Amino acid sequence: MAELKKKKVNENKSSTRERIQLAAIGMEAEFALIMDGVQVKPEQVFGSPRRFIREKMMHRRGRSYHLPTGGAVYFDTGVIEVATPVIEIERGCAARAGRSLWEAILFVRQELDVWEQAHDADLQLAGFSTHYNISFELPPHEQGTTRTVEQLAYLLSHILPVPVMLLAANRRSTGIGVRPRGDRIEVTADFTPDAPLMIATATLIVGIVREVMRWPSYEISQLDSTDIPVIKGFHPMPHTTRKGWLARFDCYPRNPFTCDIDRDHWTTTDGRSMTLREMAGLITKHFWPYIRRYSDPFTLRLIGSVMKGRAPSLLDLDDRPPGYEDVGRLCTWDNLFPERVLPRSQYERVLIRAINGDKLHLDGDWYTPTGMRGWSRVVFRRKTDNSRHIFSLDYLLDHLREWERPYRGGRREAGRGTRLDGRGKREAGSRSRETGRDVY
């Protein structure tokens, strides 16, 4: 009996690492649920997202489920949270992440429309926050004592807030956060009810974070040798949720979210006097080559226009736009980046295949996806012996071409998914056939 128990434990122990091999970006958005004019907790109204989403969803982890769009939905302490899949970092990655997030938001909104008609109720999604996640994959031997993810977060809390304010914040915003999350950096800001500005924010963040990550040290003294302005008297506070840092309004000599961004001057730590837009523009200019590296042309022009005052920032308005109060109806997605213009990323294509249930022909056997383990692993069931297998996303990338090959009558078994357009560029070498495979 002891031997049987030990064998069972070993069989169920996964040897696949959660960390993916390609640097990636991911985005999340949180929404308060307003029912007939009153804020309610979605878990109390629905219990589970499966109660209002009609299509069968693949379980991801805990109480979260994958949407047919490739993203995920779950309830988190009184809010509805929608998240994108991981998307490898390359040119256009922020636009891909923004597109994926808004597709998921609109899918959830459409399902809520059907539910509210059936239950004679009015449901609004009120924008709460957006989280921008960037991989931190610096090996431990390269980190030393001055290049940890915690130090990087603190350094970034002195660089990111001002330009992020101009692209993502509004008059009622209270802060910009930077949190170290082990293998990633998470930047938190208010939800932005303008898809182009949200994508611009993500583009700026990924460009700055990826470049600062390359600096020889993450000590705050590194700023002394740059022209990056820091407001005199600014001291970030510990983040109010999880570990990290928060550039809250009261961390500054006065509230930057309510000032005139073109007239009110701020004194920097090196004695300069600048407006908020001038500071944001100077920081953006410093990192411009790296922002451009990951940007699409449309978004790059938008970032430059906002920083120069040719396009409005939400801080130019007297109050935050009404789109915050009814996301998916008062603000929506206009398909700015169709797949023929910006193909899906490789990780997106793998996840959408898995979520659709498309069968994979591998080593002479058929494998059917049945679930997910977090974002990085897909659970399959092999047809010949009904055994359970777990393949990492990186392993599946090596078989993506085979998975996407058109089915030919009699020679292949078809899943219920449809073929996706686009061929992403690989950023990693080939891996062993057996890498990332767990068998149950």
Side-chain angles (χ1 to χ4, degrees):
M1 180 67 73
E3 290 181 357
L4 289 175
K5 287 183 178 180
K6 183 176 181 181
K7 183 177 180 181
K8 185 175 182 180
V9 170
N10 289 337
E11 284 179 346
N12 284 276
K13 183 178 180 181
S14 171
S15 62
T16 303
R17 295 180 304 170
E18 282 291 337
R19 173 178 280 183
I20 56 178
Q21 294 190 25
L22 303 184
I25 181 176
M27 293 172 62
E28 303 163 315
E30 295 180 333
F31 303 93
L33 181 66
I34 311 300
M35 184 173 183
D36 296 328
V38 179
Q39 183 171 341
V40 295
K41 293 183 177 181
E43 53 266 40
Q44 293 181 354
V45 176
F46 304 114
S48 166
R50 292 177 298 178
R51 297 290 297 274
F52 72 89
I53 293 179
R54 294 166 295 168
E55 292 195 33
K56 184 177 180 180
M57 295 186 293
M58 178 177 284
H59 182 253
R60 175 178 168 255
R61 182 173 58 190
R63 293 171 292 178
S64 65
Y65 298 87
H66 275 286
L67 298 168
T69 62
V73 61
Y74 51 98
F75 301 152
D76 186 11
T77 59
V79 298
I80 296 178
E81 186 153 351
V82 176
T84 72
V86 290
I87 293 171
E88 59 267 25
I89 291 178
E90 59 183 358
R91 187 178 299 277
C93 60
R96 289 186 174 100
R99 175 179 62 190
S100 176
L101 185 66
W102 279 90
E103 286 174 344
I105 291 170
L106 293 187
F107 183 88
V108 170
R109 176 66 264 177
Q110 290 165 4
E111 296 301 292
L112 289 174
D113 288 344
V114 174
W115 190 94
E116 67 178 6
Q117 291 174 7
H119 293 80
D120 192 25
D122 178 69
L123 298 176
Q124 295 172 241
L125 287 175
F128 184 68
S129 68
T130 306
H131 302 173
Y132 305 85
N133 292 276
I134 311 297
S135 288
F136 176 77
E137 70 279 7
L138 196 67
H141 69 273
E142 294 184 21
Q143 295 181 22
T145 59
T146 63
R147 301 180 79 199
T148 67
V149 68
E150 291 79 14
Q151 290 169 312
L152 177 61
Y154 184 71
L155 178 60
L156 288 169
S157 71
H158 291 74
I159 300 172
L160 284 172
V162 172
V164 169
M165 284 179 196
L166 260 72
L167 294 174
N170 64 82
R171 289 296 181 183
R172 299 192 209 177
S173 295
T174 57
I176 307 295
V178 185
R179 305 193 296 203
R181 302 295 300 275
D183 60 352
R184 57 191 164 98
I185 287 288
E186 183 178 56
V187 180
T188 61
D190 268 359
F191 179 81
T192 307
D194 182 286
L197 282 177
M198 181 183 287
I199 292 172
T201 304
T203 302
L204 178 134
I205 289 172
V206 70
I208 293 178
V209 171
R210 295 300 292 179
E211 173 52 22
V212 175
M213 203 178 293
R214 291 159 44 96
W215 287 9
S217 170
Y218 301 154
E219 293 179 306
I220 199 68
S221 59
Q222 289 292 304
L223 295 177
D224 296 339
S225 60
T226 73
D227 62 347
I228 296 172
V230 178
I231 293 175
K232 185 177 180 179
F234 166 69
H235 300 286
M237 61 177 287
H239 207 289
T240 53
T241 58
R242 296 193 177 99
K243 295 180 180 179
W245 301 96
L246 181 62
R248 202 168 66 177
F249 68 95
D250 52 359
C251 295
Y252 296 89
R254 59 184 185 275
N255 191 340
F257 300 102
T258 58
C259 76
D260 188 319
I261 61 175
D262 290 311
R263 293 187 180 182
D264 293 344
H265 281 70
W266 300 76
T267 302
T268 65
T269 52
D270 57 4
R272 289 176 288 179
S273 178
M274 309 175 72
T275 66
L276 208 64
R277 195 189 301 270
E278 288 171 341
M279 283 188 283
L282 189 57
I283 296 170
T284 302
K285 182 180 178 181
H286 181 94
F287 291 99
W288 191 250
Y290 315 105
I291 296 170
R292 183 173 57 199
R293 178 181 300 170
Y294 301 112
S295 182
D296 63 276
F298 171 82
T299 301
L300 195 67
R301 288 194 296 271
L302 177 59
I303 294 172
S305 296
V306 171
M307 297 304 167
K308 293 178 180 178
R310 294 197 298 259
S313 162
L314 296 183
L315 292 179
D316 286 315
L317 307 178
D318 293 333
D319 197 0
R320 71 180 189 181
Y324 279 92
E325 313 305 329
D326 200 353
V327 177
R329 291 194 289 214
L330 294 183
C331 61
T332 187
W333 169 253
D334 295 325
N335 198 19
L336 303 174
F337 299 97
E339 289 187 51
R340 60 180 174 78
V341 175
L342 187 67
R344 301 279 174 182
S345 75
Q346 291 184 105
Y347 282 143
E348 280 185 285
R349 288 154 56 195
V350 167
L351 280 168
I352 291 175
R353 288 255 163 220
I355 294 166
N356 282 341
D358 289 355
K359 293 179 173 63
L360 172 64
H361 195 253
L362 189 64
D363 298 333
D365 284 301
W366 287 101
Y367 293 80
T368 301
T370 60
M372 292 289 302
R373 287 287 186 88
W375 285 117
S376 62
R377 296 179 293 170
V378 184
V379 181
F380 285 82
R381 186 70 65 181
R382 187 164 62 187
K383 182 179 180 181
T384 53
D385 58 4
N386 207 35
S387 59
R388 192 169 180 238
H389 298 251
I390 297 178
F391 299 153
S392 70
L393 293 185
D394 296 294
Y395 174 76
L396 291 170
L397 286 186
D398 286 333
H399 302 279
L400 182 57
R401 186 181 296 272
E402 173 73 11
W403 211 356
E404 292 183 329
R405 186 175 297 171
Y407 301 118
R408 295 180 175 87
R411 297 183 59 187
R412 299 177 61 86
E413 290 193 22
R416 56 187 174 85
T418 57
R419 192 178 180 210
L420 298 176
D421 295 328
R423 305 260 180 216
K425 182 179 179 182
R426 290 295 301 277
E427 289 190 356
S430 297
R431 289 167 289 278
S432 161
R433 280 184 79 117
E434 297 303 317
T435 299
R437 299 182 61 175
D438 292 333
V439 182
Y440 284 65

